[in-house]
């Protein structure tokens, strides 16, 4: 069941407006996936409202985007150029047989897989759709940054004017930290009619060692683990390759 913030139609409709306008994170992904690795076909897991998929499609990349949040996919499908992308409501299990140059998980998608079985199955599915030599690129927040300690209503509250919608107020509040698993509330209030919608999310903050080990177990070779230019010190960008000759 996707989080309300992605799957409630009224919340999905303002997701882009509440994020940073130029999405410097997605520019960095595009530079890596297309600029550095020359990908011409990409599977974007957890594509959300499709901003990254459409950015790639504009560059002539053949894109498939998958996300279980139907409301987010509906937003993606309503955007100019959306017909160039294959959108799928679902998880990697719902992706048809593909062979792509790159698989991506932008923003915190890699952290939504809470149990190891689902995480490992997602990495294996990414491996299966990559052509030999293709790359998996994703980020995960660094546990040592302890981002959840900054997720308080006072530190995160914002009121954003959204064209055609009015002022939208939102904030984040951590409600529990159990080992690597962090749960937080993210309410949204629409000032135009005072509707308040609740959303709760849970993310797992795996260690870099654990993520690298899971990648290797899934058959990947680690190409690089980088600091993110748009958020230094806060997350690692993992780049892993399906070996050209396959696993030994
Ligand atoms: C923070 S959003 C990121 C969306 C998009 N990648 C972006 O950069 O804007 C996390 C996304 O992960 C999706 N998600 C949750 N569970 C998922 C799963 N099992 N498989 C794929 N995506 C999932 C959510 O629906 C949501 O769209």
């Amino acid at each position: 069941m996707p989080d309300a913030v992605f799957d409630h139609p009224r919340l999905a409709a303002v997701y882009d407006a509440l994020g940073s306008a130029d999405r410097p994170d997605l520019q960095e992904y595009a530079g890596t996936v297309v600029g550095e690795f020359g990908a011409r076909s990409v599977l974007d897991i957890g594509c959300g409202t499709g901003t990254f998929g459409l950015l790639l499609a504009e560059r002539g990349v053949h894109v498939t985007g998958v996300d279980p949040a139907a409301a987010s996919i509906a937003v993606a499908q309503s955007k100019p150029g959306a017909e160039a992308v294959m959108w799928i409501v679902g998880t990697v299990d719902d992706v048809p047989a593909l062979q792509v140059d790159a698989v991506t998980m932008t923003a915190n998608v890699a952290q939504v897989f809470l149990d190891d079985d689902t995480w490992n199955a997602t990495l294996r599915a990414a491996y299966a759709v990559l052509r030999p030599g293709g790359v998996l690129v994703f980020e995960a927040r660094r546990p040592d940054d302890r981002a959840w300690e900054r997720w308080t209503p006072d530190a995160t509250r914002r009121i954003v004017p959204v064209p055609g919608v009015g002022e939208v107020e939102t904030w984040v509040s951590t409600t529990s930290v159990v080992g690597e698993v962090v749960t937080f509330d993210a309410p949204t209030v629409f000032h135009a009619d005072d509707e308040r919608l609740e959303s709760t999310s849970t993310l797992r903050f795996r260690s870099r060692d654990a993520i690298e080990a899971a990648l290797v177990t899934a058959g990947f070779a680690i190409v690089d683990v980088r600091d993110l230019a748009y958020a230094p010190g806060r997350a690692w960008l993992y780049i892993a390759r399906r070996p050209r000759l396959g696993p030994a």
Side-chain angles (χ1 to χ4, degrees), residues 93-166:
D93 294 338
D94 302 297
V95 174
L98 288 177
Q99 198 170 56
V100 294
D101 297 329
V103 174
T104 51
M105 293 186 276
T106 70
N108 56 24
V109 173
Q111 295 184 247
V112 306
F113 306 102
L114 303 182
D115 63 276
D116 287 336
D117 286 350
T118 312
W119 172 232
N120 292 331
T122 301
L123 295 179
R124 285 197 303 273
Y127 183 98
V129 299
L130 281 170
R131 66 162 172 78
V135 289
L136 168 64
V137 181
F138 66 89
E139 71 193 88
R141 288 173 178 272
R142 291 171 50 167
D144 57 310
D145 181 49
R146 305 177 73 81
W148 58 85
E149 293 181 350
R150 299 191 292 272
W151 295 344
T152 65
D154 284 349
T156 61
R157 189 181 306 277
R158 292 179 309 136
I159 299 176
V160 178
V162 179
V165 173

Side-chain angles (χ1 to χ4, degrees), residues 1-3 5-7 15-16 23 25-26 29 44-52 66-70 72-73 90-93 104-110 112-113 118 122 139 203:
M1 185 71 178
D3 306 344
V5 69
F6 309 120
D7 207 25
Y15 173 85
D16 291 333
R23 289 295 302 263
D25 56 330
L26 301 185
Y29 272 89
D44 187 30
I45 299 174
C47 63
T49 56
T51 306
F52 185 55
V66 62
D67 198 295
S72 288
I73 292 285
T91 68
V92 281
D93 294 338
T104 51
M105 293 186 276
T106 70
N108 56 24
V109 173
V112 306
F113 306 102
T118 312
T122 301
E139 71 193 88
L203 298 177

Side-chain angles (χ1 to χ4, degrees), residues 31-44:
T32 304
V33 170
V34 180
E36 190 173 344
F37 291 98
R40 306 306 302 154
S41 54
V42 171
L43 169 65
D44 187 30

Side-chain angles (χ1 to χ4, degrees), residues 4-242:
V5 69
F6 309 120
D7 207 25
H8 187 292
R10 198 172 188 191
L11 295 177
V14 297
Y15 173 85
D16 291 333
L18 297 179
S20 64
D22 57 350
R23 289 295 302 263
D25 56 330
L26 301 185
Q27 302 294 340
E28 189 169 345
Y29 272 89
T32 304
V33 170
V34 180
E36 190 173 344
F37 291 98
R40 306 306 302 154
S41 54
V42 171
L43 169 65
D44 187 30
I45 299 174
C47 63
T49 56
T51 306
F52 185 55
L54 291 167
L55 182 78
L56 294 178
E58 273 171 21
R59 298 182 180 204
V61 177
H62 185 82
V63 180
T64 303
V66 62
D67 198 295
S72 288
I73 292 285
V75 171
Q77 287 171 322
S78 73
K79 293 181 175 178
E83 61 288 346
V85 174
M86 181 195 289
W87 306 105
I88 299 169
V89 176
T91 68
V92 281
D93 294 338
D94 302 297
V95 174
L98 288 177
Q99 198 170 56
V100 294
D101 297 329
V103 174
T104 51
M105 293 186 276
T106 70
N108 56 24
V109 173
Q111 295 184 247
V112 306
F113 306 102
L114 303 182
D115 63 276
D116 287 336
D117 286 350
T118 312
W119 172 232
N120 292 331
T122 301
L123 295 179
R124 285 197 303 273
Y127 183 98
V129 299
L130 281 170
R131 66 162 172 78
V135 289
L136 168 64
V137 181
F138 66 89
E139 71 193 88
R141 288 173 178 272
R142 291 171 50 167
D144 57 310
D145 181 49
R146 305 177 73 81
W148 58 85
E149 293 181 350
R150 299 191 292 272
W151 295 344
T152 65
D154 284 349
T156 61
R157 189 181 306 277
R158 292 179 309 136
I159 299 176
V160 178
V162 179
V165 173
E167 287 185 339
V168 179
E169 181 174 357
T170 185
W171 65 94
V172 180
S173 181
T174 299
T175 54
S176 84
V177 181
V178 180
E180 298 180 331
V181 177
V182 176
T183 299
F184 55 96
D185 291 335
T188 302
V189 180
F190 293 83
H191 285 191
D193 58 8
D194 277 338
E195 185 177 23
R196 173 173 166 152
L197 295 172
E198 309 295 336
S199 185
T200 298
S201 298
T202 302
L203 298 177
R204 182 156 171 194
F205 287 67
R206 290 182 171 84
S207 70
R208 176 174 169 173
D209 283 351
I211 291 173
E212 291 192 17
L215 284 167
V216 170
T217 299
F220 288 98
I222 311 280
V223 175
D224 203 2
V225 180
R226 300 178 182 166
D227 207 3
L228 288 173
Y230 75 91
R234 298 204 164 172
W236 294 117
L237 183 72
Y238 295 84
I239 302 170
R241 190 186 295 280
R242 174 174 173 158

